[in-house]
Amino acid sequence: VCGCLGPRCCGRCRRAAYCGPEHQALDWRRGHRRSCGQHAAGDDSADAIPEHNEFLFPEYEILIEPEEPEFPADSTDDEQGAEDTSKDAKEQEELGVAGTAAFQSLDEETLEAMAKHETEEEKIFQMFKKQVAAEPEQIIRYCRGGEGPLWVSGENRPEEKDIPNCVCGAKRIFEFQIMPQLLNHLQVDSLGESIDWGTLVVYTCADSCGGGSEYLEEFIWKQDYSMGCT
């Protein structure tokens, strides 16, 4: 009922297939208990696929396009950017004067550490935002064997030793990452639970073992937004 491989099925009607006991229990509570066993095994109406609109995630078409290179802005954008920069500088100056008193109680070493941390995190996060700005609706970034993932933070990045080898013994490499924009489409709150991530990075077998006839377990790394990027 969830779209994944369903090796176990309902022992009563033998019609609904499940990936595991958790989804079988959820489907039972969400309506299968009422429809289970209503049709005889030889009834033609039993061939109809049951509806699970409250359980399945909504379906969308995924468009696959290469990322376009960046182009320099024209003179009009440059002029507008200069005006915005001037306004931002003035606002920052006013905010700086107003906020001086609030930071007088902090020593210089603490302030330097805070400023350094914020600058590094903001730089990484701004780079992330700039990269996805050309296609803000993107939900997957694919780049197997090339550049690494686009991180949202400098924190909680895996090292090579953190990525386990495939069951076949081969090294796992970065293949694609799932972007936070996907959360806007999943409507996860309808299930009564909320999930969140900055990016989900998927590492797959470098030798592509197993062929295309079976499911293989791969490795996923979840990175959240840092506190300085909210």
Side-chain angles (χ1 to χ4, degrees), residues 39-74:
H39 304 289
D43 192 347
D44 293 339
S45 61
D47 294 334
I49 299 176
E51 294 289 340
H52 297 89
N53 294 332
E54 295 182 357
F55 180 71
L56 291 175
F57 289 132
E59 295 184 3
Y60 297 93
E61 180 184 11
I62 298 180
L63 302 179
I64 303 176
E65 297 179 356
E67 188 171 39
E68 295 292 337
E70 296 184 10
F71 294 97
D74 56 28

Side-chain angles (χ1 to χ4, degrees), residues 17-37:
Y18 304 97
C19 63
E22 293 83 4
H23 284 185
Q24 184 173 3
L26 179 60
D27 189 41
W28 182 261
R29 294 194 302 268
R30 288 186 171 271
H32 186 63
R33 66 172 64 180
R34 295 187 297 271
S35 60
C36 183

Side-chain angles (χ1 to χ4, degrees), residues 107-125:
D107 58 84
E108 183 176 348
E109 183 178 352
T110 302
L111 290 173
E112 287 292 337
M114 292 174 59
K116 182 178 180 181
H117 175 75
E118 291 176 353
T119 300
E120 292 175 350
E121 282 302 306
E122 288 178 357
K123 182 178 180 180
I124 295 171
F125 185 59

Side-chain angles (χ1 to χ4, degrees), residues 4-230:
C4 295
L5 181 66
R8 59 164 64 221
C9 63
C10 176
R12 184 181 179 187
C13 68
R14 312 297 295 180
R15 294 177 59 213
Y18 304 97
C19 63
E22 293 83 4
H23 284 185
Q24 184 173 3
L26 179 60
D27 189 41
W28 182 261
R29 294 194 302 268
R30 288 186 171 271
H32 186 63
R33 66 172 64 180
R34 295 187 297 271
S35 60
C36 183
Q38 289 183 354
H39 304 289
D43 192 347
D44 293 339
S45 61
D47 294 334
I49 299 176
E51 294 289 340
H52 297 89
N53 294 332
E54 295 182 357
F55 180 71
L56 291 175
F57 289 132
E59 295 184 3
Y60 297 93
E61 180 184 11
I62 298 180
L63 302 179
I64 303 176
E65 297 179 356
E67 188 171 39
E68 295 292 337
E70 296 184 10
F71 294 97
D74 56 28
S75 58
T76 303
D77 293 338
D78 291 339
E79 293 175 0
Q80 183 64 40
E83 294 179 2
D84 293 340
T85 302
S86 177
K87 293 179 180 178
D88 291 342
K90 184 176 181 180
E91 292 177 357
Q92 288 294 333
E93 182 179 356
E94 294 175 353
L95 290 173
V97 174
T100 300
F103 287 99
Q104 285 180 346
S105 59
L106 299 177
D107 58 84
E108 183 176 348
E109 183 178 352
T110 302
L111 290 173
E112 287 292 337
M114 292 174 59
K116 182 178 180 181
H117 175 75
E118 291 176 353
T119 300
E120 292 175 350
E121 282 302 306
E122 288 178 357
K123 182 178 180 180
I124 295 171
F125 185 59
Q126 291 300 326
M127 185 181 301
F128 175 85
K129 291 174 59 179
K130 180 180 179 181
Q131 192 75 19
V132 301
E135 293 291 341
E137 294 298 315
Q138 61 184 285
I139 60 172
I140 292 178
R141 292 180 63 88
Y142 180 90
C143 186
R144 181 176 173 83
E147 298 180 2
L150 185 61
W151 299 106
V152 299
S153 170
E155 302 174 356
N156 191 30
R157 292 190 185 186
E159 299 180 4
E160 186 173 353
K161 62 181 178 63
D162 296 322
I163 310 299
N165 290 339
C166 180
V167 292
C168 72
K171 181 181 178 181
R172 282 193 175 101
I173 60 175
F174 166 65
E175 180 165 350
F176 68 93
Q177 66 184 113
I178 303 173
M179 308 298 284
Q181 177 63 19
L182 182 61
L183 290 165
N184 293 332
H185 302 292
L186 290 182
Q187 303 174 14
V188 290
D189 286 339
S190 63
L191 295 180
E193 299 178 357
S194 294
I195 57 177
D196 192 20
W197 64 74
T199 187
L200 302 176
V201 185
V202 180
Y203 296 85
T204 62
C205 178
D207 292 342
S208 300
C209 68
S213 60
E214 58 182 316
Y215 287 93
L216 295 176
E217 180 178 341
E218 298 295 1
F219 184 77
I220 187 169
W221 186 273
K222 177 176 180 286
Q223 186 189 50
D224 295 319
Y225 293 102
S226 71
M227 295 300 294
C229 294
T230 56

